[in-house]
Amino acid sequence: AITPANTEGIAAAYRRAGRRLVLLDYDGTLVGFQKVPSAAGPDKRLLRLLDDLCADARNRVFITSGRDY
């Protein structure tokens, strides 16, 4: 779990890494879980964050979902 005590260590390791794999869960994590999938759209703030992560050539970003549709 990410805690205030280990946040700086995680951030330092991220900065030092030459290559990073970022796996993000969509429903319930990046956006609140919705019964109707079309209602679970990202907001502008999330899209900016994802754009920033993807703009760094050291990052490979994948978004996962347990949805089957």
Side-chain angles (χ1 to χ4, degrees):
I2 297 174
T3 65
N6 64 16
T7 300
E8 184 51 43
I10 293 169
Y14 177 87
R15 288 188 296 269
R16 285 192 309 268
R19 292 176 14 178
R20 307 173 186 123
L21 174 63
V22 181
L23 302 171
L24 301 167
D25 176 62
Y26 192 74
D27 281 324
T29 304
L30 292 178
V31 298
F33 186 80
Q34 303 292 322
K35 288 185 179 188
V36 178
S38 61
D43 61 19
K44 289 182 181 184
R45 182 174 175 234
L46 175 57
L47 291 173
R48 280 193 306 272
L49 173 65
L50 293 171
D51 281 343
D52 289 347
L53 282 171
C54 292
D56 189 324
R58 296 178 293 174
N59 293 341
R60 294 294 176 258
V61 180
F62 291 86
I63 298 174
T64 65
S65 174
R67 297 268 187 174
D68 57 0
Y69 51 91

